[in-house]
Amino acid sequence: MRTSPNRLVATIFGAVYLLVGLLGFAVTGGVGFIATEGGMLLGIFEVNPLHNVAHLLIGAALLIAGLASPRAAKTVNTIVGAAYLLLGVVGFFIADSALNVLALNTFDHFLHLASALVLLGVGIGAERTTRTTVAA
């Protein structure tokens, strides 16, 4: 794992997102599953049960890929990073609407964008294969 930035990042992010998903349930008692407003995780991140489930699924995908292989980690890092980039941008536009089924707030948007930068940066930039040419 030390030789693969993708595996390392996927494993760390996976473990963190699993923990965040579990902790989220401690603050969402009485909150509707897809409520547009939720409980406050760490005092700044708004979450509802659907948001917690999303964190658990994303965390599991990252952790499994990180433990599996560099190629799996690279693929999942890139896909999750792209999804977080989209969510980070779209989140600003849906925050005060009925479309905000994940109970997102401004802190969530910036965290999603930061996660996207790291995951995409590693997924796209690390572990590129180089072609070698053989002289005849």
Side-chain angles (χ1 to χ4, degrees), residues 24-83:
F25 285 109
V27 299
T28 55
V31 174
F33 190 75
I34 57 170
T36 58
E37 294 183 9
M40 298 302 283
L41 182 62
L42 303 176
I44 58 173
F45 301 107
E46 197 166 4
V47 293
N48 65 16
L50 178 60
H51 198 157
N52 297 333
V53 170
H55 283 148
L56 290 174
L57 293 173
I58 290 165
L62 286 164
L63 186 59
I64 291 167
L67 295 174
S69 70
R71 185 177 188 154
K74 180 178 179 68
T75 300
V76 173
N77 285 345
T78 303
I79 291 169
V80 172

Side-chain angles (χ1 to χ4, degrees), residues 5-123:
N6 273 292
R7 289 186 73 191
L8 183 63
V9 168
T11 302
I12 292 170
F13 270 59
V16 168
Y17 273 101
L18 280 172
L19 180 61
V20 166
L22 291 172
L23 290 174
F25 285 109
V27 299
T28 55
V31 174
F33 190 75
I34 57 170
T36 58
E37 294 183 9
M40 298 302 283
L41 182 62
L42 303 176
I44 58 173
F45 301 107
E46 197 166 4
V47 293
N48 65 16
L50 178 60
H51 198 157
N52 297 333
V53 170
H55 283 148
L56 290 174
L57 293 173
I58 290 165
L62 286 164
L63 186 59
I64 291 167
L67 295 174
S69 70
R71 185 177 188 154
K74 180 178 179 68
T75 300
V76 173
N77 285 345
T78 303
I79 291 169
V80 172
Y84 270 144
L85 179 61
L86 179 64
L87 182 62
V89 171
V90 170
F92 285 106
F93 297 100
I94 65 168
D96 294 323
S97 75
L99 296 175
N100 189 9
V101 297
L102 294 174
L104 301 170
N105 66 8
T106 303
F107 291 106
D108 289 313
H109 308 325
F110 285 111
L111 182 61
H112 293 146
L113 290 172
S115 293
L117 288 174
V118 172
L119 290 168
L120 280 172
V122 172

